[in-house]
Amino acid sequence: MEIFYTKTALRQHLGSLKKSDMEMSIGFVPTMGYLHPGHLSLMDRARNDNDFVVASLFVNPSQFGENEDFSQYPRNIKRDIELCTQNGVDVLFIPDSSEMYLPDHLTYVTVRELSDVLCGHHRPGHFDGVVTIVAKLFNIIQPNKAYLGQKDGQQALILRRFTRDLDFDIEIIICPTVRESNGLAMSSRNKYLSSDGRDRASIIFQALSVAADQVYQGVTDVNRILEGVTKAFASVPEISCQYIECRDCDNLQPVETLEKPALLAVAVFLESVRLIDNIILERPGGNSNETV
Ligand code: AMP
């Protein structure tokens, strides 16, 4: 595995590779590091689908709000490098903030409407930061395919819309959420939970599963489904819910009656850690999509 810290060196390397093999396909996995099996599943898929895998480690300051956890975001670059080496990554890009943002950086990319709801409503500007850094990484790396996790379902939808709207010739592949054995979606931020907290956090997937069960039994009234989810969360008073919402998988508009697959998404706080998760709700007889 080769590691690059600058855009110029990475561009040169990938440019010479492409010249020597015009047919070579590049799969790209953007991450903020502190890797876990969720990230590694994206790398596995990228390796299966492509000749060459590029991953990036960059904690992107522009997607964190002023009072958020940018400085406390977990980092362990040495361990991440080992994991990437073991997981078949060919090139790892580890820029620092000054490499990605000049002091007079002024340009941000906004995907309207989709960025204003769910996490975007509670984290204003967050998705502009995400889309902007991904736009930059796509331009530098020019992959054929990019691999994203359903864990961040809204982010995946937004990035898919952004590549379509701005004519990036990059296929977005969304991979299923990888979970702990108790159902908790793997996340770098889980590190901040105590062991009791990790146990309690299993209610998140249990509550989402209550909704899936209701839908399986034929309930299509979304208010009723959300009541069931809220009730499940009430059994763990240490958790406070920021949102529990059911929205259309394409345009993220609120859904009142389940007619086609919809995204059931939640954000909660536990031990001051913000955790998000989601599932696709689909009436029996559908294609059981795991991803948006
Ligand atoms: P992050 O490092 O949190 O920015 O995540 C980098 C990529 O990994 C994003 O596309 C995430 O959606 C994806 N990801 C994070 N956690 C998981 C998980 N538990 N399962 C699958 N993908 C994940």
Side-chain angles (χ1 to χ4, degrees), residues 3-6 55-58 77 81 92-96 99:
I3 303 176
F4 294 91
Y5 298 90
T6 67
S56 61
L57 303 179
F58 181 62
I77 290 191
I81 291 174
L92 182 58
F93 183 41
I94 319 179
D96 66 16
E99 181 67 14

Side-chain angles (χ1 to χ4, degrees), residues 29-33 35-39 41-42 63 73 147-153 155 175-179 185-189:
V29 182
T31 83
M32 297 206 297
L35 301 178
H36 54 67
H39 297 114
S41 74
L42 308 184
Q63 71 189 67
Y73 195 84
Y147 295 81
L148 307 171
Q150 175 63 28
K151 155 81 179 10
D152 300 275
Q155 169 174 286
C175 303
T177 302
V178 177
R179 301 178 179 282
M186 290 195 178
S187 163
S188 307
R189 290 187 172 99

Side-chain angles (χ1 to χ4, degrees), residues 15-187:
S16 59
L17 277 174
K18 279 186 190 153
K19 242 189 231 158
S20 64
D21 182 357
M22 305 284 278
E23 298 295 305
M24 184 186 74
S25 70
I26 297 181
F28 173 46
V29 182
T31 83
M32 297 206 297
Y34 209 76
L35 301 178
H36 54 67
H39 297 114
L40 304 184
S41 74
L42 308 184
M43 292 170 185
D44 283 349
R45 178 78 195 273
R47 203 178 52 242
N48 272 323
D49 293 356
N50 298 278
D51 303 314
F52 202 83
V53 177
V54 179
S56 61
L57 303 179
F58 181 62
V59 185
N60 173 34
S62 75
Q63 71 189 67
F64 288 80
E66 261 177 35
N67 300 317
E68 294 184 350
D69 58 346
F70 173 68
S71 56
Q72 281 98 46
Y73 195 84
R75 293 164 169 88
N76 188 340
I77 290 191
K78 190 165 168 271
R79 182 171 160 272
D80 287 346
I81 291 174
E82 278 164 23
L83 285 170
C84 288
T85 311
Q86 289 160 15
N87 280 276
V89 171
D90 297 291
V91 159
L92 182 58
F93 183 41
I94 319 179
D96 66 16
S97 289
S98 63
E99 181 67 14
M100 296 310 285
Y101 294 102
L102 294 174
D104 56 352
H105 180 102
L106 291 177
T107 308
Y108 289 87
V109 187
T110 300
V111 177
R112 296 179 184 178
E113 296 179 22
L114 300 186
S115 300
D116 297 336
V117 300
L118 301 174
C119 287
H121 175 72
H122 296 278
R123 303 183 68 187
H126 167 68
F127 287 114
D128 292 358
V130 170
V131 179
T132 300
I133 194 64
V134 170
K136 288 167 70 68
L137 291 167
F138 279 4
N139 276 327
I140 297 163
I141 293 159
Q142 303 196 6
N144 302 80
K145 296 180 179 170
Y147 295 81
L148 307 171
Q150 175 63 28
K151 155 81 179 10
D152 300 275
Q154 183 180 13
Q155 169 174 286
L157 265 178
I158 288 173
L159 290 173
R160 191 156 62 195
R161 186 66 69 93
F162 144 75
T163 44
R164 191 205 71 179
D165 287 354
L166 294 190
D167 300 305
F168 278 80
D169 188 14
I170 297 170
E171 189 183 345
I172 300 292
I173 313 275
I174 303 173
C175 303
T177 302
V178 177
R179 301 178 179 282
E180 305 279 359
S181 54
N182 70 1
L184 173 63
M186 290 195 178
S187 163

